[in-house]
Every structure is written in C-alpha cells, then in structure tokens.
C-alpha cells in the first residue's frame, strides 16, 4: 500500500491535522468503531458527526461512516480545540526571507501548541497570519520569556537549522532586570547541575558534575535595579532563572524561582523581565553570517512604577535589526 506522509486535510487555524496509524490487526469491523475506542475523550456522537462531514480522512480520501477498518494504515483528523484566552500582545517581525522568519515573541505566548495553549501560540499565529503553512520553529522559548524566536520557512530546510541549535552553533544572549547587589562581584560564570523531572513544573539544582553554565554581566544599574546580560553556554530548562536566583538576584517577575507562586493563565501583570536579546550564527543553508537583535523593551527598566503597579504592557523601544 502506498502511504502518504502528508495530510490530505488542509490546516485548520494554522494547525496540522493529527495523524494516527491503525493497528496491524484488531476486532473492529468499521474505522468508526476503532476511532471510538482509540479516542475515548471524544464522544462517539462527535466522531459520527466528523465522519458525516468528511472531517476524517484516510490515504485514499475522506472516510465514510461505513468505511471498513483497514489495518496498518493512516488516518488524519483535526481535534476539537480547547477554549483559550487570547494573548493580547502582537508578535513583532524582526526579519523575513525565503529561508528564515525571526520574530519578537511577546511575554505569555507559548512557542508551539501544548496542553492548554494551541491557537494562542507563536507558531500557529504566524502560520495563519502570514500564510506560511510549512513554518516550523528552529528552537523554543519559554512561554513567559520574550524576545527572539527563529522559524524555518521551508520544510526541507528544517533539519539544517534545528541541528545548528542542537549542536550549539548559535551564540545567544539574554537581557534580564533583577535587583542590584553592590557586593556581588560581576562578571562571573555560574555553573551548577540542573535536573528537570517529568511532570514537575520547576527545575532544581542538585549536587553532581555541572551540566549548566551561564556568564552573568552587569550592564548598568540604577534605583536598586540592575540590567544584566546573560550568556548561556548550555541550554538546560530554566537555567538562567535558576542561576540568577542562586545569586540572590532573582529576575523580576519570576513566579517560579526562588519560590513557586500559582498564577492565572490570563494574568498579564508583571511579566518575567527576561528577553532573548541577540542571535548570531553562520547560516547553514546560505553560508551568510547572521545577526539579529530584539526590539522589545523590558518594562521594569523603562517604567518600573508601571511594572510594579501591574500595568499589562508589552512595549517596544524601536525597530529590530538583522542582516
């Protein structure tokens, strides 16, 4: 049997259809019966409606309510989306060409669909708004971190750019606003061993050989605050936030470190004052030297009173640059 790897269903809201592979054998007479058992969180009546409306497809086209079960084949469908609160901040475009899209991701916007965040993610928004159905992220940023996020335009070039990030051939710097401690000697390199357990929301530092390294530099200070440049030399989960908290200068707005605070998903006040500021690398496809800079301003530095009061601001200080 010829098996198509691309969905016969178009994207919906910028999302690809889910692909399922049927078992090599089973007791089902109809595809409908298998899907009812396969998708227990979907009401059988909903599966019946999707089949009636040609919203479920196989390799040969839409499935019918009476389509027989076929072992070892593929089925595509769009899952129903969860209710989401719109993230009220725009995505800035720093650079766009035939190969790359570099965006300025705002705080509170996830990179890719996951859990309760699906349509309200950077990937889905950009696919939909820019009509770029094959767009894919070259790397990721945490939902609460703002700044540069790079996407690959062409499907066939994904591997080259994603491998570049995996192999740490990209120089990245971040900017953070945190308390200023005049007794803290900077710059300094912070190292520790960080572990992140599956199902646990926070990471932690433990004894053992270091696996995380960050260069911390103080750029300037005023009114008890410091503006810091952070250069990660590894890429552990929440590394920058843990290392700053470990120096007793936790990043402003951090609701995980040093202490975990439960926060509503639609609370836009006091965003984490951390921005992915620069990306520099040699392009693995074109051979060009690339350098990009985020245009996003960290509110606590430019308007500390407004930030402390909880004003939901995602300000910018000028156009991004890139070449």
């Amino acid at each position: 049997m010829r098996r198509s790897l691309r969905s016969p269903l178009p994207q919906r809201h910028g999302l690809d259809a889910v692909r399922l592979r049927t078992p090599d054998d089973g007791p089902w007479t109809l595809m409908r019966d298998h899907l009812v058992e396969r998708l227990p969180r979907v009401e059988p009546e909903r599966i019946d409606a999707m089949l009636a409306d040609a919203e479920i497809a196989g390799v040969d086209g839409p499935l019918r309510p009476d389509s027989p079960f076929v072992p070892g084949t593929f089925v595509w469908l769009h899952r129903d989306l969860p209710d989401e609160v719109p993230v009220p901040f725009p995505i800035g475009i720093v650079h766009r060409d035939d190969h790359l899209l570099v965006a300025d991701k705002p705080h509170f916007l996830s990179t890719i669909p996951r859990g309760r965040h699906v349509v309200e993610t950077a990937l889905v928004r950009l696919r939909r708004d820019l009509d770029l159905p094959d767009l894919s992220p070259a790397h990721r940023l945490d939902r609460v971190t703002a700044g540069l996020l790079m996407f690959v335009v062409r499907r066939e070039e994904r591997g080259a750019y994603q491998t570049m990030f995996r192999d740490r051939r990209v120089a990245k710097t971040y900017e953070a606003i945190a308390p200023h401690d005049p007794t803290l000697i900077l710059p300094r390199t912070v190292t520790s061993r960080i572990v992140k357990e599956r199902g646990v929301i926070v990471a932690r530092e433990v004894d053992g050989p270091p696996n995380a390294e960050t260069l911390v530099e103080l750029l300037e200070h005023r009114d008890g605050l410091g503006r810091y440049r952070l250069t990660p030399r590894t890429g552990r989960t929440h590394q920058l936030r843990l290392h700053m908290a470990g120096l007793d200068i936790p990043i402003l707005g951090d609701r995980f470190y040093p202490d975990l605070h439960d926060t509503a998903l639609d609370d836009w006040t006091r965003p984490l004052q951390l921005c992915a500021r620069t990306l520099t690398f040699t392009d693995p496809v074109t051979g060009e030297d690339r350098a990009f800079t985020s245009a996003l301003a960290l509110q606590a530095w430019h308007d500390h009173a407004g930030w402390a009061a909880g004003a939901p601001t995602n300000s910018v200080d000028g156009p991004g640059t890139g070449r």
Side-chain angles (χ1 to χ4, degrees):
M1 177 189 299
R2 184 180 177 182
R3 294 173 175 175
S4 173
L5 296 180
R6 300 204 66 168
S7 172
L9 298 176
Q11 288 184 346
R12 181 184 297 173
H13 306 296
L15 287 165
D16 293 322
V18 175
R19 189 183 76 182
L20 306 176
R21 186 184 185 279
T22 62
D24 290 331
D25 55 52
W28 311 281
T29 301
L30 302 178
M31 278 292 201
R32 182 262 184 204
D33 299 333
H34 169 64
L35 291 172
V36 167
E37 184 172 325
R38 180 78 170 267
L39 305 171
R41 295 184 181 180
V42 182
E43 294 294 331
E45 294 78 10
R46 177 60 183 143
I47 293 176
D48 291 336
M50 294 170 71
L51 288 167
D53 293 337
E55 295 179 357
I56 303 177
V59 294
D60 297 320
L63 297 180
R64 303 181 308 276
D66 61 351
S67 291
F69 173 76
V70 179
T73 190
F74 294 105
V75 174
W76 288 264
L77 58 92
H78 285 284
R79 295 185 188 274
D80 291 330
L81 298 176
D83 292 331
E84 295 183 66
V85 177
V87 178
F89 306 114
I91 305 175
I93 304 301
V94 176
H95 174 87
R96 180 179 178 181
D97 61 28
D98 291 339
H99 307 280
L100 297 176
L101 175 71
V102 182
D104 248 340
K105 185 187 81 65
H107 298 285
F108 305 114
L109 191 67
S110 296
T111 298
I112 61 173
R114 185 177 181 183
R116 289 176 287 181
H117 307 286
V118 181
V119 172
E120 286 298 312
T121 59
L123 175 63
V124 174
R125 271 201 198 177
L126 291 169
R127 278 181 174 178
R128 179 192 63 210
D129 295 347
L130 301 179
D131 192 23
L132 293 172
D134 287 339
L135 198 69
S136 59
H139 64 121
R140 299 182 189 182
L141 283 181
D142 286 345
R143 174 179 174 267
V144 293
T145 302
L148 295 181
L149 184 58
M150 197 172 88
F151 296 84
V152 184
V153 173
R154 296 176 174 173
R155 180 184 296 262
E156 65 270 19
E157 294 175 351
R158 289 176 182 174
Y161 289 108
Q162 291 171 348
T163 298
M164 177 184 68
F165 277 90
R166 184 199 67 192
D167 294 345
R168 300 176 188 167
R169 289 184 276 121
V170 180
K172 298 186 283 187
T173 68
Y174 290 72
E175 185 177 315
I177 310 301
H180 173 241
D181 179 357
T183 68
L184 185 64
I185 298 174
L186 296 175
R188 71 166 59 189
T189 297
V190 180
T191 61
S192 69
R193 184 168 188 81
I194 293 175
V195 297
K196 174 70 166 63
E197 298 171 2
R198 192 178 191 88
V200 179
I201 194 170
V202 295
R204 59 192 177 93
E205 294 178 296
V206 298
D207 293 335
N211 62 3
E213 180 177 325
T214 305
L215 174 64
V216 180
E217 301 172 273
L218 177 65
L219 299 177
E220 54 182 325
H221 66 89
R222 66 177 186 226
D223 303 326
L225 295 181
R227 188 168 70 89
Y228 299 87
R229 178 167 58 223
L230 310 179
T231 305
R233 292 170 178 158
T234 54
R236 296 292 168 178
T237 299
H238 299 170
Q239 172 180 320
L240 303 180
R241 298 160 68 180
L242 275 166
H243 282 172
M244 291 293 281
L247 294 174
D248 290 326
I249 49 170
I251 299 171
L252 295 189
D254 196 336
R255 303 180 190 190
F256 281 17
Y257 309 102
D259 300 308
L260 178 64
H261 300 277
D262 189 26
T263 307
L265 288 176
D266 59 351
D267 182 353
W268 317 122
T269 61
R270 288 179 287 277
L272 179 71
Q273 296 298 282
L274 179 64
C275 177
R277 184 61 69 193
T278 67
L279 290 175
T280 307
F281 57 93
T282 299
D283 193 302
V285 174
T286 68
E288 297 175 72
D289 289 332
R290 303 269 205 171
F292 303 106
T293 302
S294 170
L296 292 177
L298 289 172
Q299 185 186 359
W301 186 252
H302 297 276
D303 179 19
H304 188 208
W307 180 87
T313 301
N314 197 75
S315 57
V316 291
D317 55 11
T321 59
R323 69 174 189 270

